[in-house]
Each structure stands twice: as C-alpha cells, then as structure tokens.
Amino acid sequence: MDESLHMKKAFLLSMIVSLCFAALMGIIVFISGTYGWVEVKILLTTLAIGIFSLAGLCNAALYEKGKAKGFAMTGIIITLIAFILTLILIWNDGYSWRELGKILYTLWVLSIASAHVSLLLLIDSTDGKVNIARMMTFFFIVAISLYIILFIYEVITFREEFSIRLFGVLVILDALGTIITPILHKYTKIQSTQATESFSTNLRR
C-alpha cells in the first residue's frame, strides 16, 4: 500500500479517536454534575477539538482533491498552530490571554476563513456565473477577516454606527454568496444536462 495512503489513514484514525475521546470527556463532565476549573478546561478542550477538527478537515479535503494544495496546506498549518496555542492557554496557567490573545484571535480568524474558502474551492465548476459568485464570496470572506483583524489590533472600532453597519452588510453578503454559489452550481449542472438531452433528441430526429 502507498505510504501516503497509510499516512492519510493514520491521520483520519487519530482524528476519530481524539474526537471520540473529547466527546467522552465532555459527557463525563456533564453526567458528573461537577463544574470545577478542571471540568471547565475539559469542556473548552472538547470544544476546541471539535472546531479545529472541522476547520482542518475542510482544508484537508481540498488538499486531498489536489486543488490549491499550497493554500490548503497553509490552512492546515494555521489551524494546527491555533489549536496548539489554544490548548496551551487552556491548560497552562503560566500564560495569559492578554499575552497571546491577539495572535491567537488572528489565527482563529485565519483558520475559519481558510476553511470557508476551502469549502467553496471544492466546488468543481467552469461556469462563469458560478465562478463570479465564488470570487465575490472570496472577496467578502477576506474583507470580513481583515475587518476583524483590524478590530483585534484596535486599528478600527465598532463604536461608530457606520462600522457596525458595514460589518453587518459584509456578513450578510458573505452568507448570501456561500449559499448561492453551490445552488447556482447545481442549477447550471441541471441546465447543462437538459441542454445535452435536448441536443441528443434533436439529433435522433
């Protein structure tokens, strides 16, 4: 068996085991009914494993498909670093959120953004309308990420009503593009199939 296939299987298996273990720890905490500081850390760790696993899988799926491998690998690395730093801050009381907070928040934003972009890149389409919708959604993802990062580093604030409104508009347009792109892809595929069937029918006539 190919070595890369062994590595993929080991990666997926380790992810399944870690998710199951995290879920088990979370269930035990809830069933026990005790919510001390250790239990809170366990729940935060469970949440971190779930979120970063999903983000990592989005990038890994893109890498597995052989599309934008450089971007996908960068997303995986960012997600891994963000996860490790999150665990350090959860379990090591020697570090404070104030010290590493801005760096970590930035990595969170980049991790989520890379996963979002990866999901859209998984759509195989050569149709111009689909690609335009996808590119516009990429623009909104970048704009929102940049907006949040500038807010993290206190370059901009949400005190002004204009800032809040602009951010809200970007979020709505991002959500719209994320929903419309796969729907438009499905629509163009149906349209293409109908055109092919119509052409075949005309030929038979």
Side-chain angles (χ1 to χ4, degrees):
M1 189 180 290
D2 188 71
E3 185 178 349
S4 62
L5 196 57
H6 276 298
M7 291 178 65
K8 291 171 189 173
K9 287 179 65 179
F11 170 75
L12 291 172
L13 185 60
S14 63
M15 186 169 286
I16 291 170
V17 171
S18 62
L19 284 170
C20 290
F21 179 75
L24 178 62
M25 292 297 99
I27 291 170
I28 290 172
V29 169
F30 276 113
I31 290 177
S32 67
T34 56
Y35 298 100
W37 187 231
V38 174
E39 285 74 20
V40 170
K41 288 184 176 184
I42 291 173
L43 289 176
L44 288 174
T45 301
T46 303
L47 182 63
I49 290 174
I51 292 173
F52 288 112
S53 293
L54 285 173
L57 280 173
C58 292
N59 290 299
L62 183 64
Y63 185 87
E64 175 71 19
K65 205 165 185 179
K67 299 176 64 178
K69 281 193 169 185
F71 175 83
M73 182 54 66
T74 302
I76 291 171
I77 292 170
I78 290 173
T79 302
L80 183 60
I81 294 172
F83 175 64
I84 292 170
L85 281 178
T86 301
L87 290 185
I88 289 173
L89 287 176
I90 290 173
W91 290 97
N92 194 328
D93 296 328
Y95 294 93
S96 69
W97 289 90
R98 181 172 296 179
E99 292 171 354
L100 294 177
K102 290 183 178 180
I103 296 173
L104 183 57
Y105 299 150
T106 302
L107 289 173
W108 284 355
V109 172
L110 294 177
S111 177
I112 293 170
S114 67
H116 194 171
V117 170
S118 292
L119 284 176
L120 290 172
L121 285 174
L122 286 171
I123 298 173
D124 284 319
S125 178
T126 56
D127 187 87
K129 296 185 291 295
V130 176
N131 288 329
I132 289 172
R134 177 162 49 191
M135 290 303 297
M136 290 179 66
T137 308
F138 288 160
F139 171 79
F140 297 132
I141 294 171
V142 172
I144 290 170
S145 301
L146 182 60
Y147 213 98
I148 295 173
I149 290 171
L150 289 175
F151 173 74
I152 290 170
Y153 288 93
E154 300 174 5
V155 176
I156 61 173
T157 65
F158 284 109
R159 293 173 185 172
E160 298 85 5
E161 188 175 347
F162 173 76
S163 296
I164 298 173
R165 289 182 177 182
L166 178 59
F167 184 75
V169 169
L170 289 172
V171 170
I172 291 170
L173 291 174
D174 179 23
L176 179 64
T178 302
I179 295 169
I180 280 181
T181 301
I183 293 175
L184 192 59
H185 173 54
K186 187 68 176 176
Y187 174 79
T188 56
K189 283 182 69 177
I190 293 172
Q191 199 174 35
S192 177
T193 302
Q194 288 177 335
T196 303
E197 290 175 351
S198 176
F199 180 73
S200 300
T201 302
N202 291 333
L203 281 178
R204 285 194 294 270
R205 288 176 182 175

